[in-house]
């Protein structure tokens, strides 16, 4: 499922925030790169080509606002850089990540096999679980070939 700019505009209206031209430009960077998990620096590099007046500080502030509004989801892959992706659904657990330790490539997978385990843990511990993240660290196919050869 891919979210559209019209749906994102509606999210801003629903939350009574203005979708300024700068915010729209930053959102467009995510829509134009749906398969990437962008850092603030990545977003800045993308948007400054179209809108050189947008500074890095603006990108950081805007990403924080987007995160607070659940427009984007902040991700930590353990490499010291916060990354972001568009939050396409209102329900958590939509996908997880495979992270290559060699090249840093991040691949998504949608199988959520943890639902049963999560339900059992919640019931047994009397804990209201609202979200989880699953990350697998290893080597992508290309890096495996380089390591073997």
């Amino acid at each position: 499922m891919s979210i559209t700019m019209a749906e994102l505009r509606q999210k801003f209206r629903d939350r009574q925030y203005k979708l300024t031209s700068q915010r729209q430009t930053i959102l467009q960077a995510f829509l134009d790169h749906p398969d990437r998990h962008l850092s603030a620096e990545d977003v800045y590099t993308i948007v400054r080509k179209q809108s050189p007046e947008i500074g890095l500080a603006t990108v950081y502030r805007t990403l924080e606002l987007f995160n607070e509004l659940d427009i984007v989801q902040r991700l930590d892959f353990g490499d010291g850089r916060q990354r972001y992706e568009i939050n396409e659904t209102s329900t958590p657990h939509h996908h997880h990540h495979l992270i290559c330790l060699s090249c840093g490539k991040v691949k998504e997978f949608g199988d959520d096999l943890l639902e049963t385990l999560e339900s059992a843990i919640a019931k047994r511990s009397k804990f209201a679980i609202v979200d989880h993240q699953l990350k697998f660290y290893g080597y992508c196919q290309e890096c495996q070939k380089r390591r073997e050869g």
Side-chain angles (χ1 to χ4, degrees):
M1 177 185 148
S2 286
I3 196 162
T4 65
M5 186 58 80
E7 291 168 317
L8 291 169
R9 280 189 193 102
Q10 187 60 48
K11 283 186 174 191
F12 274 86
R13 280 193 294 274
D14 291 347
R15 292 166 177 84
Q16 298 179 358
Y17 275 83
K18 290 183 181 178
L19 182 56
T20 65
S21 62
Q22 290 183 333
R23 291 174 182 169
Q24 186 165 323
T25 299
I26 291 169
L27 278 176
Q28 193 63 50
F30 287 96
L31 296 176
D32 291 345
H33 300 87
D35 56 339
R36 293 189 48 205
H37 300 82
L38 301 172
S39 68
E41 292 81 9
D42 295 332
V43 172
Y44 175 67
T45 300
I46 293 166
V47 301
R48 74 179 178 173
K49 293 173 188 169
Q50 178 184 344
S51 301
E53 75 281 358
I54 297 177
L56 184 57
T58 299
V59 171
Y60 274 106
R61 282 192 307 273
T62 302
L63 291 175
E64 274 306 306
L65 173 65
F66 289 177
N67 188 58
E68 289 172 22
L69 296 175
D70 288 324
I71 302 292
V72 299
Q73 181 179 12
R74 184 183 308 131
L75 304 165
D76 183 356
F77 296 136
D79 62 356
R81 293 175 57 185
Q82 298 292 314
R83 303 245 168 74
Y84 300 85
E85 65 183 1
I86 292 283
N87 191 6
E88 294 190 0
T89 65
S90 58
T91 59
H93 314 157
H94 58 285
H95 66 267
H96 300 296
H97 300 94
L98 304 168
I99 303 157
C100 181
L101 293 169
S102 183
C103 69
K105 185 187 310 180
V106 177
K107 186 175 179 180
E108 297 178 356
F109 69 98
D111 297 339
D112 195 351
L113 306 174
L114 295 180
E115 294 296 329
T116 303
L117 178 62
E118 183 178 295
S119 295
I121 291 170
K123 186 175 181 179
R124 192 173 324 129
S125 65
K126 295 179 177 46
F127 190 82
I129 299 171
V130 296
D131 197 5
H132 68 257
Q133 291 185 9
L134 181 61
K135 302 173 207 165
F136 289 101
Y137 295 90
Y139 299 96
C140 69
Q141 193 171 22
E142 293 82 16
C143 290
Q144 288 177 53
K145 289 177 185 173
R146 280 195 289 272
R147 292 169 57 93
E148 292 169 359

